[in-house]
Amino acid sequence: MDRVFLVGISVAGISETFDLTELGRLVKTASGKVVGEKIFKIHRQNPALCIGKGQAEELAAIVADLKVSTVVFDTELKPRQQRNLEKMLSAGIIDRTRLILDIFARSAHSEDGKNQVELARLQYILPRLAGKGVAMMQQAGFIGVRGPGEKQIEYDRRKIEKRITVLKRKLKTLAKRRKLRRSKRIKSGIPIIALCGYTNSGKTTLLNALTKARASAKDRLFETLEPLTRRTKIFDRDVIFIDTVGFIRNIPPQLINAFHSTLEEIAPASLVLVVLDASDPAVKPQKKIVDETLKELGFHKIPRIYAANKSDKEKIFCSAGCVKISALYKRGLEELKKHIYEAVM
Ligand code: GDP
Ligand code: MG
């Protein structure tokens, strides 16, 4: 397995308390093994290296010492910074955007999802093309860039631009089809409940617990990329549940479209059921990101219920205003159903 070192950047003045837990989980999801991490304090970004020259030298020593194969930066790197760092550290350099793109590529199964991810990937590659307009990219995943004998594919600018046009056209057609399906669902008059929340909070597990769905729920970020719809009964009434892609802080700009198109499915919902991982110490900032994203998308007027999931765990960090549940052990679900029933009937 690939040996990964995490790097955080803390810019002086912007007193952002940095935490690399989430980045570590993203790396784990991409099958990388984290062997260490460090946060570098900087005053401003060095245009050539992002971090300072001395810091880069320090990092090079760590990389050699720990036999690190890939360094993952919790920020977006300029193409030049990435190239320089790769040379200086003799290790693969991956930024946050590229990491998330890789994970998305693994999670996309539908035609729509695959097209969205390919488009986002090409949009990421385009400004990173080297001199002659050619970029070499690993075909299978970005982690493990230095893996021996891995297949490389060549991209050139003209081909990429052409492909981007084709993909955009395809996605438009698919969006129309989705819209049609959605309007059918609305016409049926059955209340729609959208499951929203940070990635890995337990949305899919809850969907499975509330309906007869057998969707894949795993301890991996972005296991669900395409919205999944299931019809079921809450007491005597029919309802439709929609499982959506998980939220995350700082969504890479290339992925915002992919995100938004899957989140469009929330629009006709009568209720947003926010699933929080109450056992995560970062539950509060995560709740804030969910609230902000819903607002950005214009869904803040849809009534909302908060479920504090994983409350079976020993330490719980939120409860006020939340319905305490455990989707995994099917606890608190009757209480939750009562709340849902009252909200949508
Ligand atoms: P999603 O990304 O929000 O869809 O999250 P998943 O449903 O895929 O769940 C992520 C992980 O959390 C999985 O490993 C689940 O087994 C675990 N999980 C979900 N609900 C609970 C719960 O109530 N208690 C505990 N202990 N784990 C849970
Ligand atoms: Mg899921």
Side-chain angles (χ1 to χ4, degrees), residues 96 100 247-256 259-260 293:
R96 187 184 160 83
I100 295 177
F247 298 0
I248 194 169
R249 80 186 159 87
N250 299 337
I251 300 168
Q254 295 88 345
L255 279 176
I256 287 181
F259 247 75
H260 283 196
T293 310

Side-chain angles (χ1 to χ4, degrees), residues 74-297:
D74 195 25
T75 181
E76 182 159 322
L77 294 171
K78 304 238 159 49
R80 177 152 82 101
Q81 295 171 331
Q82 191 180 342
R83 277 198 301 272
N84 289 339
L85 284 165
E86 263 183 6
K87 257 186 240 145
M88 196 167 161
L89 303 178
S90 349
I93 305 291
I94 288 177
D95 63 8
R96 187 184 160 83
T97 306
R98 191 156 152 179
L99 179 62
I100 295 177
L101 279 170
D102 183 23
I103 294 170
F104 265 57
R106 293 162 181 237
S107 310
H109 302 296
S110 70
E111 191 190 352
D112 203 16
K114 282 184 182 155
N115 286 333
Q116 294 276 9
V117 173
E118 191 186 346
L119 178 64
R121 262 182 149 172
L122 294 178
Q123 285 171 336
Y124 176 88
I125 292 169
L126 200 56
R128 284 171 175 76
L129 292 176
K132 288 193 209 84
V134 173
M136 303 290 271
M137 283 279 169
Q138 238 63 42
Q139 198 163 30
F142 291 126
I143 286 237
V145 179
R146 298 279 145 154
E150 277 185 32
K151 199 174 170 188
Q152 288 204 321
I153 31 175
E154 210 177 305
Y155 289 100
D156 80 46
R157 185 176 299 278
R158 251 195 16 250
K159 276 190 200 147
I160 291 183
E161 282 167 349
K162 247 191 183 159
R163 182 77 186 140
I164 286 179
T165 314
V166 171
L167 284 169
K168 280 186 175 163
R169 205 181 306 135
K170 269 193 185 171
L171 285 166
K172 248 193 198 156
T173 317
L174 289 169
K176 269 189 208 146
R177 236 183 270 167
R178 264 204 322 268
K179 203 170 166 194
L180 200 72
R181 268 204 307 271
R182 208 156 54 224
S183 64
K184 268 191 195 152
R185 225 181 281 140
I186 299 167
K187 269 194 208 127
S188 74
I190 302 171
I192 296 167
I193 300 150
L195 294 167
C196 296
Y198 216 70
T199 180
N200 212 49
S201 62
K203 298 176 295 298
T204 304
T205 308
L206 183 60
L207 179 88
N208 288 342
L210 289 171
T211 70
K212 291 199 176 66
R214 288 279 169 275
S216 167
K218 286 192 191 138
D219 192 13
R220 290 165 49 105
L221 304 184
F222 301 114
E223 179 67 13
T224 312
L225 192 58
E226 293 98 7
L228 180 76
T229 306
R230 282 290 173 276
R231 192 167 156 168
T232 189
K233 269 187 163 47
I234 295 280
F235 304 122
D236 58 335
R237 306 303 274 277
D238 281 327
V239 295
I240 292 170
F241 279 99
I242 299 182
D243 188 12
T244 66
V245 59
F247 298 0
I248 194 169
R249 80 186 159 87
N250 299 337
I251 300 168
Q254 295 88 345
L255 279 176
I256 287 181
N257 274 336
F259 247 75
H260 283 196
S261 66
T262 48
L263 293 174
E264 272 171 21
E265 306 288 329
I266 301 171
S270 335
L271 179 71
V272 169
L273 177 53
V274 177
V275 182
L276 301 168
D277 178 351
S279 72
D280 193 328
V283 66
K284 267 200 184 135
Q286 289 174 0
K287 176 174 178 288
K288 208 173 140 210
I289 286 161
V290 174
D291 288 343
E292 278 168 4
T293 310
L294 286 171
K295 192 162 179 213
E296 258 171 50
L297 294 164

